[in-house]
Amino acid sequence: CFFFFQAEDGIRDAQESRGLGDVYKRQVYEELFQTRNFKNAFKWGIWAGLIHGKLISMIKGKEPWNLRNNVIDCSKTKPQNQFQKKEYPKHDGVLTFDLLDNLIKTGVYHDHDQPSHLKIKKGLENMPEISYKKFGAPEERFCPAKVYEYIVNDQGEPKLQINAQNCIHCKTCSIKTTSEFIDWNVPEGGGGPKSVSYTHLTLPTIYSVQISVVAVSLKKK
């Protein structure tokens, strides 16, 4: 929907743009409000979630209740001894890829001499060790940029290494690490992944791009 926020009935006119603020209030807010209770209903089971989801979709979010989640996300992580360790095949470069190879495509950039914007919260310095030994270091897996790595010394003791320069600002670590031990701050100089703005696109422009893509596809066939 962001592609069209400056368009009127699909085509930009000569009127002054309403801007992103109005779009957020009118479109994004309304869509989020209508689906505010969808996910939390699944805590009662898949069938309850599906039936509830169908109901709120029919009444378009006008239900007089709000389902809230009062439990922090990281508290739902279960100890690793309750699971069987899974070994993943090595990436083949066709369907699966190395994280660092894909990281280059994000255009992420941080000055290597700037202070780390990812720090362990005071009083939680022992949490990385607990995360590694009890939960199997989930931050090594859920981080899409390989920011968190555990280096094991000769004595078998793990030490958390934070590669803050890789961070693509998904902020998963601020809610999913054990006891939320990561303090996420805005990096100096506005570093991070490159973003592309699509707000200048109009419907005719998008249609022309789509037609070009289809034409190329047909030509290849």
Side-chain angles (χ1 to χ4, degrees):
C1 63
F2 288 101
F3 287 154
F4 310 112
F5 83 87
Q6 286 184 324
E8 182 69 28
D9 294 330
I11 300 177
R12 182 183 301 199
D13 57 20
Q15 296 181 0
E16 183 178 354
S17 169
R18 292 188 296 270
L20 182 58
D22 289 339
V23 170
Y24 177 80
K25 294 176 183 177
R26 190 185 71 254
Q27 295 180 3
V28 180
Y29 174 80
E30 290 178 1
E31 291 179 6
L32 291 177
F33 184 79
Q34 291 179 13
T35 59
R36 68 190 184 281
N37 290 320
F38 184 83
K39 182 178 180 181
N40 283 338
F42 282 90
K43 63 185 177 183
W44 297 318
I46 186 170
W47 288 111
L50 291 174
I51 295 172
H52 180 266
K54 178 61 177 180
L55 172 64
I56 63 175
S57 67
M58 293 171 61
I59 60 179
K60 298 187 181 300
K62 294 181 181 178
E63 65 273 13
W65 60 84
N66 291 308
L67 303 180
R68 303 187 184 279
N69 186 4
N70 299 320
V71 180
I72 60 176
D73 197 277
C74 63
S75 66
K76 296 182 180 180
T77 304
K78 298 180 180 179
Q80 62 175 331
N81 59 14
Q82 297 184 16
F83 304 91
Q84 184 177 0
K85 187 176 181 180
K86 187 173 183 179
E87 297 292 341
Y88 293 93
K90 188 177 180 180
H91 54 84
D92 57 16
V94 178
L95 296 177
T96 58
F97 303 89
D98 181 71
L99 283 180
L100 295 182
D101 289 341
N102 271 345
L103 183 64
I104 300 175
K105 300 176 182 178
T106 67
V108 63
Y109 177 79
H110 295 90
D111 289 331
H112 288 270
D113 58 348
Q114 73 180 32
S116 175
H117 66 286
L118 303 171
K119 299 179 181 179
I120 299 175
K121 294 178 181 177
K122 292 183 178 179
L124 299 178
E125 291 82 0
N126 64 326
M127 282 301 153
E129 183 177 359
I130 295 176
S131 175
Y132 182 89
K133 294 182 177 180
K134 184 176 181 179
F135 299 104
E139 50 271 17
E140 279 192 321
R141 294 170 175 79
F142 65 64
C143 178
K146 212 169 185 177
V147 171
Y148 301 98
E149 290 185 276
Y150 282 88
I151 309 300
V152 181
N153 59 23
D154 296 335
Q155 289 73 37
E157 294 297 322
K159 182 179 180 181
L160 178 61
Q161 176 176 294
I162 301 178
N163 305 311
Q165 70 276 8
N166 291 358
C167 181
I168 59 173
H169 300 189
C170 72
K171 298 193 73 174
T172 305
C173 57
S174 66
I175 63 173
K176 195 59 181 174
T177 49
T178 305
S179 298
E180 299 179 345
F181 69 78
I182 288 294
D183 184 16
W184 201 103
N185 298 280
V186 178
E188 287 186 359
K194 290 183 180 179
S195 59
V196 180
S197 175
Y198 298 99
T199 58
H200 63 284
L201 294 179
T202 61
L203 191 61
T205 303
I206 296 171
Y207 278 160
S208 65
V209 172
Q210 291 176 338
I211 292 172
S212 299
V213 172
V214 173
V216 171
S217 299
L218 293 175
K219 188 177 180 180
K220 288 183 178 180
K221 290 181 180 180

